[in-house]
Amino acid sequence: MSDAPPASLSPDQPLVVGIGGTIGGTSSTERALAIALEAAGQEGFRTRLFGGAEMGRLPLYDPKATTRTLEERDFVDTIRQASALIIASPGYHGSISGVVKNALDLLEETARDPHRPYLADMPVGLIATAYGWQATGSTIAALRSIVHALRGWPTPFAAAVNSQVTKFDDEGGASDPAVLEQLRMVGQQVARFAPLAIQHG
């Protein structure tokens, strides 16, 4: 699922990119991410979502490959244009999923970019979903560590969603209003900090 910018927004408006989901259909993780992205969009940002379907088309990252697929180039070029990022991962065995990690590994392509290597100085919002609370904490910790390694700035608030308790619907809602507010806060924080990244870019 890729979100087009609202018609009222100019292509010159700053872009917030969302990465998250699972292969095999729209997941709770992807729905949570879409809510956070919508909140960023309401702050005047363009948004684009790379969900499970898009990440599933990315081949396993090979650092020695001499060419990249169209999907790989699109993903990397979109991240290069972004002013902020939101990453959402399900908790798999206490850490992030392989499909999300593979997408993040592809950002090695930006290592030698003169303007901004990796996610340097970029605000990054974090969301973890899991069937139980324990894995949400370790997944958020893993995401923070990865973002630090990529030179990004994890925003202060990260959303932890227990999918055993909270259910999402196709209309962009959730059974727990508090979870909705937490996800919106993730989107609002990246939107708030993105102008600072632009000024320093």
Side-chain angles (χ1 to χ4, degrees):
M1 176 172 68
S2 297
D3 291 344
S8 60
L9 294 184
S10 162
D12 295 329
Q13 292 291 107
L15 173 67
V16 177
V17 175
I19 302 171
T22 58
I23 297 175
T26 304
S27 62
S28 296
T29 306
E30 193 166 329
R31 288 189 170 100
L33 176 58
I35 291 168
L37 273 182
E38 182 182 14
Q42 290 172 351
E43 299 292 326
F45 286 74
R46 293 183 297 131
T47 64
R48 177 147 184 214
L49 193 156
F50 287 91
E54 287 78 15
M55 291 188 297
R57 288 193 285 269
L58 297 174
L60 191 63
Y61 178 63
D62 177 2
K64 295 183 179 179
T66 57
T67 60
R68 297 294 172 197
T69 66
L70 178 64
E71 290 79 9
E72 286 177 307
R73 293 196 303 271
D74 178 46
F75 177 78
V76 173
D77 288 344
T78 301
I79 299 299
R80 283 178 170 137
Q81 296 168 31
S83 298
L85 188 66
I86 302 174
I87 306 171
S89 176
Y92 283 2
H93 304 143
S95 189
I96 72 171
S97 69
V99 69
V100 172
K101 181 63 164 59
N102 185 57
L104 296 174
D105 286 346
L106 186 55
L107 297 182
E108 185 64 25
E109 294 295 291
T110 69
R112 294 177 177 80
D113 286 5
H115 171 62
R116 185 182 65 200
Y118 301 114
L119 304 177
D121 300 326
M122 185 188 293
V124 183
L126 304 177
I127 300 167
T129 65
Y131 199 70
W133 289 115
Q134 183 171 336
T136 61
S138 58
T139 301
I140 287 172
L143 286 170
R144 286 190 187 278
S145 179
I146 291 169
V147 172
H148 284 146
L150 292 171
R151 308 180 195 177
W153 293 95
T155 53
F157 182 80
V161 180
N162 183 345
S163 55
Q164 187 177 15
V165 177
T166 302
K167 305 301 179 185
F168 295 91
D169 57 45
D170 294 335
E171 286 70 46
S175 61
D176 187 344
V179 170
L180 277 175
E181 287 306 308
Q182 291 169 12
L183 294 170
R184 289 170 182 152
M185 187 182 296
V186 171
Q188 289 163 356
Q189 284 196 344
V190 296
R192 190 177 307 148
F193 292 121
L196 299 176
I198 294 169
Q199 290 171 15
H200 289 90

